[in-house]
Each structure stands twice: as structure tokens, then as C-alpha cells.
Amino acid sequence: MLKPTAVLLIAHGSRRSEANDDLVRLADVIRGKRLYPIVETAYLELVEPGIASAGEKCVALGATRVKLLPYFLSAGAHVAEDLEQYRRELAGRFPDVVFELCPPLGLHPLMIEIVLDRLGSA
Amino acid sequence: MLKPTAVLLIAHGSRRSEANDDLVRLADVIRGKRLYPIVETAYLELVEPGIASAGEKCVALGATRVKLLPYFLSAGAHVAEDLEQYRRELAGRFPDVVFELCPPLGLHPLMIEIVLDRLGSA
């Protein structure tokens, strides 16, 4: 039985649809893993849905825990503060639901492998 | 004997030093792999060194091939065209050196693993 934990993937939001589409494709792949019963997407800027409405949707779908995942190579103070504020607002609106802000992608060891692979040397 | 192939890691360039520093740390790790004798960094905007001067440095260090690696989650038409123009200009200035533009990070299969790891479920 899957726990009602939702994943909310958050990208910056771009005027280029390709960048935004990547997040939707990522969500499809994560859904396919069947690790989380709810997988939604949101954008910090420019593109709908925003974080507040996507978080709301996770709750409407039955989530008791929502993991906010920044799909960013890094998250500086500005982005980190914005995301934390969204998290706090959602937590205030839905006190029975746990909202958790995950770290951004960052220099994960696998990121090195991706770079090497793109260089054609993996 | 290592071939004189250079890696030129290219990030967007940010007012936040943490984001720029990630590229320098990435270069250090790639250097440590000893797969490429020359590993340099450059930024598309805002931050020095720019791509032209970093490419020039790779040649000065003896590179006969330079792999330009966009450290971007995705590269839309604008970024892709800018990078291709830098590549073309470098190739024109140094006709004996091969300049190759690699794909950006993109939705590499390992990117899914990074996301899952950041979600705490890897």
C-alpha cells in the first residue's frame, strides 16, 4: 500500500516550452516508477500551474505529505527563500499535511557522470 | 599518453557566486578524473571568463580539440544559437583545432536518479 505522499516537481518556468516540457516528461518518468502515488509539476515563475495551486491539488488528491523538489541546478538565496515561503504558506493553509522542501539537484555525484557522458567519455 | 583534448565547461553565469562556484568545483572533479589534460570553465553571460577567451586559453595550453559542454538543464534555441556562434568563431580563429559543441545535461536517465535521491527514495 503506497503512502499518500506527493511529489511536487518545481522548475523555474521558461518562455521556451522545451524547458517547461522537460518537467512534464520528468513527472511522467517519476510516475512510472510507482514510488509515489501523486506526482505533480509547478513553476516558480511565468508558467502555470504555480506552486500554491499545484500544492493545493496534491492535497485535494489525498496527499498527507508533499515533497517539494526544486528542479534547479542550484538554488541561491532568492530561489531558496521563495520556495521556503511557498512551503510555509502551504503548511499554514493545510496544517494536517507535511510539506517538505528537498534540496535542488546540485553537484550530485551522478551529475559528474552525466557531464562525462555528454562529453562522450562515459 | 593523453590526447590534447580540452573540456570547456560552460554555465550561464549568475550574480550568485554559489552557482558560478559550482562550475569551478565541477571542473576540479573532472580534472581529477584525468580523462582530459585540459579542463577550463566559461560563462555565457555576466561572469568572466567568457567563452571566447576560455577557448583561446585551451588552444594556448595545447588543445587540438575542444569540447564545449553546456552545463545547462536544457538549452533552448537562444542559448543553443549563442553557443554555436561561439563555437563557429573559435573554429574560424583556430582552423587547426576542432571545436565541438556537446549536448546540455537534459533529461539524462541519471537525472531521474538524482531527483529520486533528492527525494530521499533512492
Side-chain angles (χ1 to χ4, degrees):
Chain A
M1 175 69 180
L2 290 167
K3 288 183 298 178
T5 294
V7 169
L8 179 51
L9 302 169
I10 304 170
H12 188 280
S14 170
R15 289 182 184 83
R16 299 177 296 105
S17 62
E18 316 100 276
N20 301 324
D21 291 350
D22 267 1
L23 195 72
V24 174
R25 289 167 53 211
L26 175 64
D28 286 342
V29 176
I30 302 283
R31 262 183 217 111
K33 302 276 182 187
R34 298 187 174 277
L35 293 165
Y36 298 97
I38 303 164
V39 181
E40 294 294 323
T41 58
Y43 301 91
L44 181 59
E45 289 179 10
L46 297 170
V47 183
E48 294 294 328
I51 299 169
S53 64
E56 192 175 332
K57 182 175 177 187
C58 290
V59 175
L61 290 170
T64 56
R65 177 181 293 268
V66 180
K67 288 169 179 269
L68 287 72
L69 191 291
Y71 187 67
F72 288 70
L73 281 178
S74 68
H78 173 69
V79 167
E81 280 165 23
D82 285 358
L83 294 177
E84 173 55 26
Q85 186 172 334
Y86 278 111
R87 190 205 63 76
R88 209 164 38 231
E89 285 174 8
L90 282 163
R93 285 174 62 200
F94 302 105
D96 296 336
V97 179
V98 176
F99 291 89
E100 180 187 5
L101 183 57
C102 301
L105 305 172
L107 265 191
H108 192 285
L110 291 177
M111 198 64 88
I112 316 297
E113 300 305 316
I114 295 177
V115 169
L116 292 175
D117 195 25
R118 296 309 188 206
L119 286 168
S121 65
Chain B
M1 174 70 179
L2 290 166
K3 288 184 297 178
T5 294
V7 168
L8 180 50
L9 303 170
I10 304 169
H12 189 280
S14 170
R15 287 182 186 81
R16 299 177 296 102
S17 62
E18 317 99 278
N20 302 325
D21 292 349
D22 267 1
L23 194 70
V24 175
R25 288 167 53 210
L26 175 64
D28 286 341
V29 176
I30 302 284
R31 262 184 218 110
K33 300 277 182 187
R34 299 186 173 276
L35 293 164
Y36 298 97
I38 303 163
V39 181
E40 295 294 324
T41 57
Y43 301 91
L44 182 59
E45 290 178 10
L46 297 172
V47 183
E48 293 295 330
I51 299 169
S53 64
E56 193 175 330
K57 182 175 177 186
C58 291
V59 175
L61 289 170
T64 56
R65 178 180 292 268
V66 181
K67 290 170 177 266
L68 287 72
L69 191 291
Y71 187 67
F72 287 71
L73 281 177
S74 68
H78 173 68
V79 167
E81 280 166 23
D82 285 356
L83 294 177
E84 173 54 25
Q85 185 172 336
Y86 277 111
R87 190 205 63 74
R88 209 163 38 230
E89 286 173 5
L90 282 164
R93 285 174 61 199
F94 304 104
D96 296 336
V97 180
V98 176
F99 290 89
E100 180 187 7
L101 183 57
C102 303
L105 306 171
L107 264 191
H108 192 285
L110 291 177
M111 198 66 87
I112 315 300
E113 299 306 315
I114 295 177
V115 169
L116 292 176
D117 196 25
R118 295 308 188 208
L119 286 167
S121 65

Short mmCIF file of all heavy atoms in Angstrom, two decimals, chain A residues 25-51:
data_model
loop_
_atom_site.label_atom_id
_atom_site.label_comp_id
_atom_site.label_asym_id
_atom_site.label_seq_id
_atom_site.Cartn_x
_atom_site.Cartn_y
_atom_site.Cartn_z
N ARG A 25 7.82 15.77 -18.70
CA ARG A 25 8.38 14.45 -19.05
C ARG A 25 9.01 13.80 -17.82
O ARG A 25 8.87 12.59 -17.59
CB ARG A 25 9.42 14.58 -20.15
CG ARG A 25 8.81 14.93 -21.51
CD ARG A 25 9.88 15.36 -22.51
NE ARG A 25 10.95 14.40 -22.64
CZ ARG A 25 12.23 14.70 -22.92
NH1 ARG A 25 12.59 15.96 -23.06
NH2 ARG A 25 13.14 13.76 -23.03
N LEU A 26 9.70 14.61 -17.02
CA LEU A 26 10.29 14.10 -15.79
C LEU A 26 9.20 13.54 -14.87
O LEU A 26 9.35 12.45 -14.30
CB LEU A 26 11.05 15.23 -15.07
CG LEU A 26 11.64 14.90 -13.71
CD1 LEU A 26 12.72 13.84 -13.81
CD2 LEU A 26 12.20 16.17 -13.05
N ALA A 27 8.09 14.27 -14.76
CA ALA A 27 6.98 13.81 -13.92
C ALA A 27 6.45 12.47 -14.43
O ALA A 27 6.14 11.56 -13.64
CB ALA A 27 5.87 14.86 -13.88
N ASP A 28 6.35 12.34 -15.75
CA ASP A 28 5.86 11.08 -16.32
C ASP A 28 6.77 9.91 -15.93
O ASP A 28 6.29 8.83 -15.59
CB ASP A 28 5.80 11.19 -17.85
CG ASP A 28 4.63 12.04 -18.31
OD1 ASP A 28 3.69 12.25 -17.50
OD2 ASP A 28 4.64 12.50 -19.47
N VAL A 29 8.08 10.15 -16.00
CA VAL A 29 9.03 9.09 -15.66
C VAL A 29 8.93 8.73 -14.18
O VAL A 29 8.91 7.55 -13.80
CB VAL A 29 10.47 9.50 -16.03
CG1 VAL A 29 11.46 8.43 -15.59
CG2 VAL A 29 10.60 9.75 -17.53
N ILE A 30 8.86 9.76 -13.33
CA ILE A 30 8.78 9.51 -11.88
C ILE A 30 7.47 8.75 -11.56
O ILE A 30 7.47 7.82 -10.75
CB ILE A 30 8.83 10.84 -11.08
CG1 ILE A 30 10.12 11.62 -11.40
CG2 ILE A 30 8.68 10.59 -9.58
CD1 ILE A 30 11.36 11.10 -10.73
N ARG A 31 6.39 9.15 -12.21
CA ARG A 31 5.11 8.43 -12.02
C ARG A 31 5.27 6.96 -12.39
O ARG A 31 4.76 6.07 -11.70
CB ARG A 31 4.03 9.04 -12.93
CG ARG A 31 3.15 10.02 -12.25
CD ARG A 31 2.05 10.54 -13.18
NE ARG A 31 1.83 11.94 -12.88
CZ ARG A 31 2.14 12.94 -13.68
NH1 ARG A 31 2.65 12.71 -14.89
NH2 ARG A 31 1.94 14.17 -13.29
N GLY A 32 5.98 6.73 -13.48
CA GLY A 32 6.17 5.36 -13.96
C GLY A 32 6.93 4.48 -12.98
O GLY A 32 6.82 3.25 -13.03
N LYS A 33 7.69 5.11 -12.08
CA LYS A 33 8.44 4.34 -11.07
C LYS A 33 7.51 3.81 -9.99
O LYS A 33 7.91 2.94 -9.21
CB LYS A 33 9.51 5.24 -10.41
CG LYS A 33 10.53 5.84 -11.36
CD LYS A 33 11.65 4.88 -11.65
CE LYS A 33 12.69 5.51 -12.57
NZ LYS A 33 13.70 4.53 -13.00
N ARG A 34 6.33 4.38 -9.88
CA ARG A 34 5.31 3.95 -8.90
C ARG A 34 5.81 3.99 -7.46
O ARG A 34 5.43 3.18 -6.62
CB ARG A 34 4.80 2.55 -9.24
CG ARG A 34 4.12 2.50 -10.61
CD ARG A 34 3.46 1.17 -10.89
NE ARG A 34 2.71 1.20 -12.15
CZ ARG A 34 1.47 1.68 -12.25
NH1 ARG A 34 0.85 2.15 -11.21
NH2 ARG A 34 0.86 1.68 -13.43
N LEU A 35 6.70 4.93 -7.19
CA LEU A 35 7.20 5.10 -5.81
C LEU A 35 6.31 6.07 -5.05
O LEU A 35 6.25 6.02 -3.82
CB LEU A 35 8.62 5.66 -5.84
CG LEU A 35 9.69 4.72 -6.39
CD1 LEU A 35 10.97 5.49 -6.71
CD2 LEU A 35 9.98 3.61 -5.38
N TYR A 36 5.65 6.96 -5.79
CA TYR A 36 4.79 7.98 -5.18
C TYR A 36 3.45 7.97 -5.90
O TYR A 36 3.41 8.03 -7.13
CB TYR A 36 5.45 9.36 -5.30
CG TYR A 36 6.78 9.45 -4.57
CD1 TYR A 36 7.98 9.27 -5.24
CD2 TYR A 36 6.82 9.68 -3.19
CE1 TYR A 36 9.20 9.34 -4.58
CE2 TYR A 36 8.04 9.74 -2.52
CZ TYR A 36 9.22 9.57 -3.23
OH TYR A 36 10.42 9.63 -2.56
N PRO A 37 2.35 7.95 -5.13
CA PRO A 37 1.04 7.86 -5.77
C PRO A 37 0.62 9.17 -6.45
O PRO A 37 -0.26 9.16 -7.31
CB PRO A 37 0.10 7.51 -4.63
CG PRO A 37 0.79 8.01 -3.40
CD PRO A 37 2.27 7.89 -3.66
N ILE A 38 1.25 10.27 -6.07
CA ILE A 38 0.87 11.58 -6.63
C ILE A 38 2.15 12.28 -7.07
O ILE A 38 3.09 12.42 -6.28
CB ILE A 38 0.14 12.45 -5.57
CG1 ILE A 38 -1.10 11.73 -5.03
CG2 ILE A 38 -0.21 13.82 -6.15
CD1 ILE A 38 -1.65 12.33 -3.74
N VAL A 39 2.19 12.67 -8.33
CA VAL A 39 3.34 13.40 -8.86
C VAL A 39 2.82 14.57 -9.67
O VAL A 39 2.13 14.38 -10.69
CB VAL A 39 4.25 12.51 -9.74
CG1 VAL A 39 5.45 13.31 -10.25
CG2 VAL A 39 4.71 11.27 -8.97
N GLU A 40 3.09 15.77 -9.20
CA GLU A 40 2.60 16.96 -9.88
C GLU A 40 3.77 17.88 -10.24
O GLU A 40 4.87 17.71 -9.73
CB GLU A 40 1.59 17.71 -8.99
CG GLU A 40 0.31 16.93 -8.74
CD GLU A 40 -0.52 16.72 -10.01
OE1 GLU A 40 -0.56 17.64 -10.84
OE2 GLU A 40 -1.11 15.63 -10.15
N THR A 41 3.50 18.85 -11.11
CA THR A 41 4.52 19.81 -11.53
C THR A 41 4.05 21.23 -11.24
O THR A 41 2.85 21.51 -11.22
CB THR A 41 4.82 19.69 -13.03
OG1 THR A 41 3.60 19.92 -13.76
CG2 THR A 41 5.37 18.33 -13.38
N ALA A 42 5.02 22.11 -11.03
CA ALA A 42 4.71 23.53 -10.82
C ALA A 42 5.90 24.35 -11.26
O ALA A 42 7.02 23.84 -11.40
CB ALA A 42 4.40 23.79 -9.34
N TYR A 43 5.64 25.64 -11.49
CA TYR A 43 6.70 26.56 -11.93
C TYR A 43 6.74 27.76 -10.99
O TYR A 43 5.71 28.28 -10.57
CB TYR A 43 6.44 26.99 -13.37
CG TYR A 43 6.39 25.82 -14.31
CD1 TYR A 43 5.17 25.18 -14.59
CD2 TYR A 43 7.55 25.31 -14.87
CE1 TYR A 43 5.13 24.07 -15.42
CE2 TYR A 43 7.52 24.20 -15.71
CZ TYR A 43 6.30 23.58 -15.98
OH TYR A 43 6.27 22.48 -16.79
N LEU A 44 7.98 28.17 -10.70
CA LEU A 44 8.17 29.31 -9.80
C LEU A 44 7.71 30.60 -10.44
O LEU A 44 7.17 31.49 -9.77
CB LEU A 44 9.67 29.39 -9.42
CG LEU A 44 10.11 30.49 -8.47
CD1 LEU A 44 9.39 30.38 -7.13
CD2 LEU A 44 11.63 30.43 -8.25
N GLU A 45 7.93 30.72 -11.75
CA GLU A 45 7.59 31.96 -12.46
C GLU A 45 7.08 31.67 -13.86
O GLU A 45 7.39 30.63 -14.44
CB GLU A 45 8.84 32.85 -12.60
CG GLU A 45 9.33 33.47 -11.31
CD GLU A 45 10.59 34.31 -11.51
OE1 GLU A 45 10.95 34.55 -12.69
OE2 GLU A 45 11.20 34.69 -10.51
N LEU A 46 6.32 32.61 -14.38
CA LEU A 46 5.99 32.68 -15.82
C LEU A 46 4.99 31.65 -16.33
O LEU A 46 4.27 31.90 -17.29
CB LEU A 46 7.25 32.57 -16.69
CG LEU A 46 8.30 33.68 -16.54
CD1 LEU A 46 9.57 33.28 -17.28
CD2 LEU A 46 7.76 35.00 -17.06
N VAL A 47 4.99 30.46 -15.74
CA VAL A 47 4.22 29.35 -16.31
C VAL A 47 3.26 28.80 -15.25
O VAL A 47 3.62 28.70 -14.07
CB VAL A 47 5.16 28.23 -16.79
CG1 VAL A 47 4.39 27.09 -17.44
CG2 VAL A 47 6.21 28.79 -17.76
N GLU A 48 2.06 28.45 -15.70
CA GLU A 48 1.10 27.77 -14.83
C GLU A 48 1.26 26.26 -14.96
O GLU A 48 1.64 25.79 -16.03
CB GLU A 48 -0.33 28.17 -15.22
CG GLU A 48 -0.66 29.64 -14.98
CD GLU A 48 -0.65 30.00 -13.50
OE1 GLU A 48 -0.99 29.13 -12.68
OE2 GLU A 48 -0.30 31.14 -13.19
N PRO A 49 0.96 25.49 -13.89
CA PRO A 49 0.47 25.94 -12.59
C PRO A 49 1.59 26.48 -11.70
O PRO A 49 2.73 26.06 -11.81
CB PRO A 49 -0.11 24.66 -11.98
CG PRO A 49 0.70 23.57 -12.57
CD PRO A 49 1.04 24.02 -13.98
N GLY A 50 1.20 27.41 -10.82
CA GLY A 50 2.13 27.89 -9.81
C GLY A 50 2.22 26.90 -8.67
O GLY A 50 1.50 25.89 -8.62
N ILE A 51 3.08 27.21 -7.73
CA ILE A 51 3.36 26.27 -6.64
C ILE A 51 2.17 26.15 -5.69
O ILE A 51 1.82 25.05 -5.24
CB ILE A 51 4.63 26.71 -5.89
CG1 ILE A 51 5.83 26.69 -6.85
CG2 ILE A 51 4.90 25.82 -4.69
CD1 ILE A 51 7.08 27.35 -6.30
#
